[in-house]
Amino acid sequence: MTNTWTDRWNERYANNEFAYGEEPNNYLKEQLTQLPIGNILFPAEGEGRNAVFAAQLGWKVTAFDISNEGQKKAFQLAEKNKVSVDYQIGELANLGYKAEQFDAIALIYAHFPANLKSKLHQELDQYLRKGGIVIFEAFSKNHLEYLAKNDKVGGPKDIESLFSIDEIKADFHNYEIITLEETVIELNEGFFHNGQGSVIRFVGRKK
């Protein structure tokens, strides 16, 4: 990750207000409450809203991001909600996670740089046990038309950083597909996800 990328997210998370709110993502909430509690990993977790929600349900929560400001906010939110989250700063390869450590991985608007996104998805696979679940929601390539109408809905402005169903099938080729769809939803998450957007939603079980 470049310094420019890190600086961008530190700037976004530096304010007192939570950029994407304090409430969990709706799709994560819906999916996570259906799973048996275990160990879960949140890549690119930002200010911690989803990690804290999982901890409130009783999950053992691990998260990482490149933003120190995001980590500070996550610890603040965890303390407010009286839960504990293991949140590291750094890139995946350097964080020391163990093979098959996690029962679930939640990728919620984890928009990595375009040249890294598929590689990181495939690297994450080794840390999920067989039978483990991936929960994914992020903007689709068709989201650009919604972003053009309303920049308050947020999301990357370059098509390469957005996702398609075919990309998810390729990145998670060794998964049983439970759900994989492109759909239009209404977002109301803090300051930066507001309005209609096109997303990919995926739930898969590792074979």
Side-chain angles (χ1 to χ4, degrees):
M1 303 276 181
T2 64
N3 289 337
T4 303
W5 188 261
T6 305
D7 291 345
R8 173 192 170 192
W9 291 108
N10 277 330
E11 182 180 350
R12 175 154 294 186
Y13 298 145
N15 296 323
N16 289 331
E17 297 84 2
F18 280 69
Y20 299 99
E22 298 182 27
E23 296 300 314
N25 169 266
N26 285 335
Y27 191 62
L28 174 82
K29 186 175 180 179
E30 173 190 313
Q31 297 301 319
L32 206 55
T33 51
Q34 299 179 47
L35 297 179
I37 289 166
N39 294 333
I40 188 167
L41 175 64
F42 287 89
E45 176 50 9
E47 297 168 310
R49 63 193 176 105
N50 297 310
V52 166
F53 171 73
Q56 288 176 296
L57 293 179
W59 288 78
K60 183 178 180 182
V61 177
T62 303
F64 71 92
D65 203 289
I66 55 170
S67 169
N68 290 293
E69 295 295 336
Q71 184 195 50
K72 286 180 195 173
K73 298 280 274 300
F75 286 151
Q76 176 187 328
L77 190 61
E79 184 177 359
K80 177 180 176 180
N81 287 279
K82 298 180 172 56
V83 294
S84 176
V85 173
D86 174 6
Y87 189 130
Q88 295 191 64
I89 297 295
E91 297 185 28
L92 178 60
N94 304 322
L95 297 178
Y97 301 138
K98 296 185 176 76
E100 300 192 357
Q101 180 175 343
F102 300 104
D103 303 297
I105 296 176
L107 289 153
I108 305 299
Y109 296 95
H111 284 279
F112 299 108
N115 63 325
L116 296 177
K117 61 180 188 174
S118 288
K119 179 174 178 282
L120 283 164
H121 286 168
Q122 290 157 22
E123 286 179 1
L124 282 165
D125 174 75
Q126 67 188 294
Y127 303 114
L128 185 67
R129 67 167 175 82
K130 288 183 179 177
I133 297 291
V134 166
I135 303 168
F136 177 99
E137 181 177 278
F139 291 116
S140 80
K141 293 188 185 298
N142 290 319
H143 180 65
L144 289 180
E145 64 183 85
Y146 294 90
L147 187 55
K149 295 174 193 171
N150 170 27
D151 64 1
K152 291 182 179 177
V153 72
K157 294 179 168 62
D158 62 302
I159 197 164
E160 292 81 10
S161 295
L162 300 167
F163 295 97
S164 69
I165 283 177
D166 285 344
E167 282 180 342
I168 296 304
K169 281 181 178 177
D171 289 355
F172 298 99
H173 60 90
N174 57 326
Y175 284 69
E176 173 196 348
I177 295 172
I178 298 170
T179 301
L180 178 56
E181 63 177 355
E182 182 172 348
T183 188
V184 175
I185 64 170
E186 187 77 26
L187 284 157
N188 181 19
E189 299 183 327
F191 295 98
F192 292 99
H193 278 174
N194 287 284
Q196 275 197 337
S198 177
V199 301
I200 301 290
R201 287 174 162 175
F202 169 61
V203 178
R205 180 179 288 110
K206 185 175 176 179
K207 293 179 182 177

